[in-house]
Amino acid sequence: MKIFRLLTVLFISALCFTACEDEEITNYAFQDVSAPANVTADFDIAQDDSGTVTITPSGEGVQTFQIYFGDEENETPTEIAAGETISYTYGEGEYLVRIVAVGSTGLTSEFNQRLVIAFKAPENLQVNIDQDASNPATINISATADYATMYDVYFGDAEDEEPTQLMPDETITYTYAAPGTYTVRVVAKGAGVATTETTVEVVVPEANDPVKLPITYDVPTVNYALGTFNGASFEVVDNPFLSGANPEASKVGAITNSGSLYEGGAYNLGEPVDFSGDNKTISMKFYSEEAVSVLVKFEGGPNGERPVEVSADHGGTGWEELTFNFASDAVASYLDGADDNGASIVPDGQYNTLVLFVEIGEETAGTFYFDDIMQEMIMTDPFKLPVTFDDENVVYTNSGAGFEVVANPQQNGINDVDTNVGAVTNAGQQYEAVTFTLDEPVDFSSENKTITMKVYSEVAYPVLFKFETGVNGERANEVEVNHGGTGWEELTFDFNNARKSYVDGDPENGADFAPTGQYNQFSIFLDFAGTTAGTFYIDDIVLNGETGGSATEPTSAAPTPTLEASKVISMFSDAYTNVTVDTWKTDWSDSGYEEVSVAGNAVKYYNSLNFVGIETTSNQIDASGMTHFHTDYWTGNATVFRVKLVDFGPNGSYQGGDDTEHELEFTVTPNTWVSLDIPLSDFTGLTNTSNIAQLIYSAAPAGEANVYVDNVYFHN
């Protein structure tokens, strides 16, 4: 997709949006305005030495297709309506066919395909089949051959099978429905009559991995067969009802009750369920159109643990998520002759067998579905600095003044992102504070003892930051600074210049002090000795320059470029003279942005990055004489980093009918500068590079990644 702009003349502002390969981000003022999607084409090459190729394009939301056959410069496209087919005669050679899909709104999407026309029989046929280790029923197949124009692939699992078309440079994915040995036949075809073919055997093994929690029914190597009893039956099926608590297309378990008493099913687990800790809750998605009770029972303890069970009621509304709390609701299961049957019990051991009953003791017949049986996880991420209030798996243990974690209600100034913040409510008493108890102590053993914190207040007052509860009895100490009442301000507390906090009977209260130990607790006083009442906000409590979240900032500069300036078109680098860039963060971006310095070197910093647009629309870059695009990046918490280049085409106009773009995705190496030196030829969809107008960075996890960028340039 491209970045599309819609401009109306009725005093409506321009609306901009971008779409990445993984997701589409829109911000429309109108309904049903989108570019064509899923654009592709089938190619039928006549095997009669004529060079005739029949092209059948397809896509969603397409009104017309513009076909560029790729055999002449400055080609005028041939236009056909959606659903039509076009034939064209080629000479021998290699061509890039461009198909531009035009929607009813004028928005476009593009599909490119390399086409080889050769009248010789294909030679040196090689077939590559990658079998997914986690799902051996799925294969990825590609092929190469000299003089091959296309390939027909027969997967060998059906009689009178119609071949699947495979084009050069393409990989297709196929999933077999059942275990077995299959013969894959690949036929290489040119533009002549002669073909070349080969076969490869694919073995899809039986699913034999043991069942263990979580039970999702989606792992092909796991044997999900449920041992049923007393008339019940079971099978794994596709989710027949994509709704409610389970709207995703996936596999689910289907149990059919025959109407007998005490029928059900049991799993002998490959790993026991462990109830020795605090985590004693089992959850399950369950489908029924009538109200029923569902009972989960654990037995088969390796150390003779007492069988236990919990029953939950389903409301009969389709997919619902049920929870079975074995900490509060468990009872001892029936054992012949036991005197504690039905008594409350809290299990604290391990169990090898999971038993399921639907309407135990009732003669209820019917088919019911269940999915995602799992032991719910307790929040285990430690509470430690830096504190961003954005980690849902952290308990922000606090006491004192009123406190809660809320969405940032004041997205402006230095904290203009949609993240969580801490809300502190003062009642209007002197010396009221919110006190936080950490899971990992703050360590002041290094020379840098600076704490920074963002505080929002529209009232000027002093803010005191105090550390106490030293791990080894360290002295409580504090630093006091002033807030100007201007909204979000970042306050700096230098504990190299701290003072000793008040301790009853200590004559050194208030004396200068520099902590050198560790502290488990800190308190924040907003309007320390004053009586200001109200709700104020805090965020990003950081020690020693750490960034928010799990990332830390780089301490060294990116590598200094060594290419001669005459070979470079630089957008941003201290090593070169940079071209004019309109903006390093467009108004349609979803990211924070700061210009920072790392080891004395200017760097672009994108915090909470989902995607960010960088534009050179008024001074478009002619990179036609360049061979590579270069960027350095550093991140501590991103897992994926993406780069997209957008060219506005020879007419230099956005959405002028000749725009091209391509995005590349990279797996991240964290906590180090990574230099990406990317051949422009890798941006295969970017068929023109004379009018580069947009550079788009994006990352995962979306909205959480913190990325530093330096040395952005084209070169040859």
Side-chain angles (χ1 to χ4, degrees):
M1 299 292 173
K2 299 183 173 62
I3 308 299
F4 300 104
R5 293 182 177 171
L6 308 177
L7 177 64
T8 73
V9 296
L10 299 177
F11 302 99
I12 300 176
S13 301
L15 303 174
C16 301
F17 73 100
T18 185
C20 300
E21 291 178 356
D22 295 332
E23 58 188 352
E24 184 170 295
I25 303 157
T26 59
N27 184 20
Y28 295 125
F30 308 105
Q31 301 269 337
D32 300 323
V33 179
S34 59
N38 299 322
V39 179
T40 187
D42 287 331
F43 292 79
D44 184 10
I45 295 94
Q47 292 182 272
D48 57 3
D49 296 327
S50 69
T52 301
V53 178
T54 301
I55 304 173
T56 306
S58 61
E60 299 172 5
V62 183
Q63 189 171 49
T64 59
F65 292 98
Q66 297 173 352
I67 314 297
Y68 295 81
F69 297 106
D71 60 346
E72 61 181 69
E73 294 185 3
N74 302 318
E75 179 181 359
T76 299
T78 300
E79 188 171 287
I80 64 173
E84 292 184 350
T85 291
I86 189 168
S87 295
Y88 192 76
T89 301
Y90 287 92
E92 280 194 302
E94 182 175 319
Y95 308 93
L96 180 66
V97 180
R98 294 175 53 213
I99 299 175
V100 178
V102 183
S104 60
T105 62
L107 302 181
T108 64
S109 297
E110 185 169 318
F111 173 79
N112 296 334
Q113 177 62 56
R114 184 171 71 92
L115 186 66
V116 178
I117 301 297
F119 300 124
K120 297 178 65 176
E123 300 175 355
N124 303 318
L125 173 60
Q126 294 185 343
V127 175
N128 181 51
I129 296 180
D130 290 327
Q131 199 163 6
D132 191 336
S134 64
N135 182 7
T138 296
I139 62 172
N140 297 297
I141 184 168
S142 60
T144 61
D146 297 335
Y147 315 119
T149 300
M150 58 179 291
Y151 308 86
D152 282 344
V153 180
Y154 299 82
F155 294 101
D157 58 347
E159 293 185 7
D160 301 322
E161 179 181 358
E162 290 293 326
T164 299
Q165 186 181 91
L166 172 66
M167 299 298 292
D169 304 322
E170 183 183 16
T171 298
I172 55 177
T173 300
Y174 188 78
T175 299
Y176 289 97
T181 299
Y182 301 94
T183 300
V184 177
R185 183 164 68 100
V186 178
V187 181
K189 302 165 68 175
V193 175
T195 63
T196 302
E197 66 179 71
T198 190
T199 60
V200 180
E201 278 200 349
V202 172
V203 177
V204 179
E206 296 282 348
N208 52 23
D209 288 352
V211 176
K212 60 182 179 180
L213 298 188
I215 301 173
T216 66
Y217 299 104
D218 294 319
V219 181
T221 58
V222 172
N223 181 1
Y224 289 110
L226 183 73
T228 56
F229 47 85
N230 292 346
S233 61
F234 173 83
E235 63 179 327
V236 175
V237 300
D238 292 324
N239 182 0
F241 304 103
L242 307 181
S243 60
N246 200 10
E248 304 298 328
S250 65
K251 298 290 186 180
V252 299
I255 189 168
T256 299
N257 278 7
S258 64
S260 300
L261 296 173
Y262 306 108
E263 58 187 329
Y267 279 122
N268 291 319
L269 301 173
E271 292 182 7
V273 172
D274 189 351
F275 283 142
S276 61
D278 294 332
N279 184 6
K280 302 179 191 293
T281 299
I282 301 295
S283 64
M284 173 200 308
K285 294 173 183 173
F286 192 90
Y287 184 94
S288 175
E289 295 180 1
E290 58 180 303
V292 294
S293 66
V294 180
L295 185 140
V296 172
K297 174 184 178 182
F298 286 101
E299 57 188 20
N303 298 304
E305 288 87 347
R306 182 68 164 84
V308 294
E309 61 192 50
V310 172
S311 181
D313 291 328
H314 186 285
T317 64
W319 279 113
E320 301 177 14
E321 184 161 4
L322 305 181
T323 57
F324 304 82
N325 191 334
F326 281 81
S328 60
D329 302 332
V331 298
S333 299
Y334 178 82
L335 291 177
D336 192 23
D339 57 7
D340 63 345
N341 291 333
S344 295
I345 186 173
V346 178
D348 58 5
Q350 296 181 329
Y351 295 89
N352 287 318
T353 302
L354 165 64
V355 188
L356 302 173
F357 296 89
V358 181
E359 288 285 88
I360 186 171
E362 302 291 336
E363 296 178 343
T364 302
T367 299
F368 310 93
Y369 304 94
F370 46 89
D371 197 10
D372 297 337
I373 306 171
M374 62 185 65
Q375 187 171 13
E376 293 193 349
M377 300 301 296
I378 291 179
M379 293 182 287
T380 57
D381 289 354
F383 180 22
K384 62 180 181 178
L385 265 57
V387 179
T388 66
F389 302 110
D390 294 320
D391 190 340
E392 296 180 354
N393 293 325
V394 170
V395 177
Y396 298 99
T397 307
N398 66 90
S399 59
F403 176 83
E404 63 178 328
V405 176
V406 300
N408 183 2
Q410 301 291 339
Q411 297 175 29
N412 50 53
I414 62 169
N415 202 8
D416 62 352
V417 292
D418 185 12
T419 58
N420 289 336
V421 299
V424 181
T425 300
N426 280 0
Q429 305 295 320
Q430 282 189 314
Y431 308 113
E432 57 186 328
V434 58
T435 298
F436 294 98
T437 301
L438 300 168
D439 296 320
E440 294 185 11
V442 174
D443 188 350
F444 279 136
S445 61
S446 68
E447 292 183 3
N448 193 342
K449 307 177 193 296
T450 300
I451 298 288
T452 58
M453 176 175 64
K454 294 173 183 174
V455 178
Y456 183 91
S457 175
E458 297 178 4
V459 179
Y461 50 53
V463 177
L464 184 137
F465 203 114
K466 175 183 177 181
F467 279 102
E468 51 197 335
T469 316
V471 173
N472 298 303
E474 288 88 346
R475 182 66 163 81
N477 59 103
E478 61 197 38
V479 173
E480 184 176 338
V481 300
N482 290 318
H483 189 286
T486 64
W488 280 112
E489 299 178 14
E490 185 169 67
L491 307 182
T492 300
F493 304 85
D494 185 357
F495 279 82
N496 286 299
N497 300 309
R499 70 190 182 204
K500 293 183 177 181
S501 301
Y502 178 82
V503 175
D504 193 23
D506 188 341
E508 294 188 354
N509 289 334
D512 292 344
F513 182 78
T516 58
Q518 297 181 327
Y519 294 85
N520 284 320
Q521 199 171 76
F522 65 87
S523 297
I524 299 169
F525 298 78
L526 303 178
D527 195 18
F528 175 47
T531 58
T532 301
T535 297
F536 311 98
Y537 304 100
I538 59 176
D539 199 9
D540 296 338
I541 305 170
V542 179
L543 169 67
N544 296 346
E546 292 179 338
T547 60
S550 61
T552 56
E553 67 179 359
T555 57
S556 60
T560 301
T562 58
L563 288 169
E564 296 177 10
S566 61
K567 298 181 178 181
V568 173
I569 300 174
S570 178
M571 297 177 65
F572 178 71
S573 177
D574 286 349
Y576 304 112
T577 300
N578 300 316
V579 300
T580 300
V581 175
D582 296 330
T583 179
W584 284 91
K585 179 193 171 187
T586 60
D587 56 5
W588 43 262
S589 298
D590 185 9
S591 175
Y593 169 64
E594 295 179 46
E595 296 181 356
V596 300
S597 178
V598 175
N601 196 50
V603 172
K604 306 294 185 182
Y605 173 44
Y606 296 104
N607 57 78
S608 304
L609 172 64
N610 182 1
F611 62 91
V612 62
I614 300 149
E615 288 192 332
T616 55
T617 54
S618 64
N619 186 34
Q620 296 173 16
I621 295 173
D622 182 2
S624 58
M626 302 291 110
T627 59
H628 288 72
F629 172 78
H630 181 97
T631 187
D632 294 329
Y633 75 92
W634 191 106
T635 181
N637 69 340
T639 56
V640 171
F641 183 66
R642 307 182 192 91
V643 178
K644 177 187 281 190
L645 293 176
V646 182
D647 188 286
F648 281 3
N651 63 20
S653 298
Y654 181 78
Q655 199 54 36
D658 54 359
D659 300 12
T660 59
E661 67 180 35
H662 194 86
E663 182 179 78
L664 297 174
E665 182 175 297
F666 303 91
T667 301
V668 164
T669 301
N671 301 317
T672 187
W673 281 105
V674 177
S675 295
L676 297 178
D677 205 48
I678 312 168
L680 288 175
S681 58
D682 286 359
F683 296 87
T684 55
L686 192 74
T687 56
N688 184 69
T689 57
S690 300
N691 300 85
I692 302 291
Q694 291 174 335
L695 163 64
I696 301 165
Y697 293 127
S698 61
E704 299 178 22
N706 300 316
V707 180
Y708 296 79
V709 174
D710 198 2
N711 298 323
V712 183
Y713 56 85
F714 298 85
H715 73 86
N716 58 24

